[in-house]
Amino acid sequence: MEFGSHKWGQPKFQGFKNRIRDVQGLAFNARYFDRFFITEADWSVWQEQAEFIKENLTDDVIESAIKSWPTEIFELNGEVIISKLKQRRDDILIYASRLYKFLSKNVNVLGSEKADRFVIERMDGGQTRVTVYSVKKNNREIKGKCYEKIFDPEITQEIRLYGLGGKDQFEITGNADDGIKVRIIGGSGKDVIEDQSKVSGMGKMTIVYDNATGTEITRSRETKVKTSDKD
């Protein structure tokens, strides 16, 4: 088990010890789901929840739960399991931080099957704000905000925006000396993509994947376009 559980093997299989050796490995199979659906929360939210668990998962709670096992089973491993659970509880902020950074390295932001507007703003210090709005189909009027987060280049290397269906708009603005690579995957609708951003000395930082026919693209020097009408 120890040999096969390393990163180059099957890291999702790890022994139940006092400390988790590879948090990323345990979360590896769920990484795509997590990067789609829990990317909006920043570290402060993760920290708050980890501290809540640490505070409320008391020694009494752990001991009471394990001591509810059948006597024969508890006598085999009960005290050892209690000790390991307490240690893992004490270290939960460490594990939460590692998992947050792992999931935040490459982030997916989803639109919908209807019209959406993605607003991407490159900011000082390389930070990137992503805001997603739902819009009315005909006049493009904003109906509501669906998503908003400021990404830090110290944590996030790449943001992938999925327009999915509908006639989506992507607006990229702002000048920065550093930045995060943004990939736009437009989807099936006839999208409008306008890139007015500038990132100093970083190469192409906005990469567009969309249909060659029906997609309107306004480029800056940051824009790399990869369009095709193949499914």
Side-chain angles (χ1 to χ4, degrees), residues 31-72:
R31 67 195 185 282
Y32 296 121
F33 183 92
D34 292 341
R35 285 171 176 160
F36 273 125
F37 295 110
I38 60 173
T39 63
E40 191 169 7
D42 59 23
W43 167 242
S44 65
V45 176
W46 282 67
Q47 183 178 15
E48 179 182 355
Q49 294 304 311
E51 289 174 346
F52 177 86
I53 294 171
K54 185 174 182 178
E55 180 180 345
N56 288 274
L57 193 61
T58 63
D59 288 354
D60 288 342
V61 170
I62 293 173
E63 291 168 7
S64 175
I66 304 305
K67 287 178 180 178
S68 69
W69 290 358
T71 302
E72 296 80 2

Side-chain angles (χ1 to χ4, degrees), residues 2 14-21 83-85 87-88 95:
E2 286 296 323
Q14 298 179 38
F16 189 74
K17 298 189 175 182
N18 287 64
R19 289 183 169 84
I20 301 173
R21 176 175 53 80
S83 176
K84 290 178 178 180
L85 286 173
Q87 184 64 63
R88 289 179 172 221
Y95 303 139

Side-chain angles (χ1 to χ4, degrees), residues 137-214:
K137 183 177 181 179
N138 295 327
N139 60 13
R140 316 299 290 168
E141 179 183 345
I142 290 175
K143 291 164 54 178
K145 184 190 296 184
C146 306
Y147 182 100
E148 183 175 24
K149 185 173 182 179
I150 297 175
F151 293 92
D152 186 343
E154 294 294 323
I155 298 174
T156 302
Q157 295 181 0
E158 188 170 299
I159 304 168
R160 300 160 185 171
L161 309 175
Y162 290 84
L164 303 182
K167 186 175 181 179
D168 301 312
Q169 290 180 312
F170 297 85
E171 304 169 4
I172 310 99
T173 62
N175 299 330
D177 293 330
D178 193 5
I180 299 170
K181 183 168 289 186
V182 174
R183 294 186 191 271
I184 296 172
I185 302 94
S188 59
K190 295 182 179 181
D191 303 319
V192 178
I193 301 165
E194 185 175 358
D195 186 5
Q196 297 180 349
S197 66
K198 179 180 178 182
V199 182
S200 300
M202 298 289 290
K204 302 289 187 181
M205 296 298 287
T206 305
I207 304 175
V208 176
Y209 305 84
D210 214 328
N211 297 320
T213 304

Side-chain angles (χ1 to χ4, degrees), residues 1-14 21-22:
M1 174 65 74
E2 286 296 323
F3 183 80
S5 67
H6 284 279
K7 291 183 178 180
W8 37 262
Q10 291 288 333
K12 62 185 177 182
F13 299 120
Q14 298 179 38
R21 176 175 53 80
D22 182 7

